[in-house]
Amino acid sequence: MNNKSDLRKLFSSVRNGLSLSEKFEYDRRVFSNFINSSIFRDFEIFLVYISFKNEAKTTDLIKYLLEHSGKKVTVRLERGADIDAACGQLRGKSN
């Protein structure tokens, strides 16, 4: 596994095999570990991805950042999977 795509497939297959309670517990641990980390303490602005399909749930983290942390949060707006859409960077591109 040397690339992002292979890792995503691996983690997705592992997560698909978890029960709902196991997913909830892992999501809770990710959230807790993050807000108790030195990264969280040391930085003021965070870029957070919206969870997709069965990825670790990020909505609680985004809500916490916005409502309780005093930190700034940005959320990546994905406009599709192809290069022209990926980060919305080419939104104003004309043909």
Side-chain angles (χ1 to χ4, degrees), residues 13-60:
S13 68
V14 169
R15 193 154 166 94
N16 282 335
L18 299 175
S19 69
L20 287 177
S21 62
E22 289 172 316
K23 286 179 186 178
F24 177 80
E25 177 59 22
Y26 281 116
D27 291 345
R28 187 197 63 73
R29 279 200 215 155
V30 168
F31 173 82
S32 179
N33 287 341
F34 182 74
I35 65 169
N36 291 304
S37 71
S38 61
I39 291 171
F40 183 77
R41 285 189 306 273
D42 294 344
F43 289 88
E44 293 299 318
I45 302 172
F46 294 91
L47 169 64
V48 181
Y49 287 81
I50 301 287
S51 47
F52 181 70
K53 294 186 180 178
N54 70 344
E55 295 173 339
K57 184 179 171 188
T58 58
T59 52
D60 291 340

Side-chain angles (χ1 to χ4, degrees), residues 8 10 28 45 51-52 55 57 61 63 69-70 75 79 83 90:
R8 280 186 178 268
L10 172 65
R28 187 197 63 73
I45 302 172
S51 47
F52 181 70
E55 295 173 339
K57 184 179 171 188
L61 174 61
K63 183 176 180 176
S69 73
V75 177
R79 297 179 180 270
I83 193 65
L90 301 176

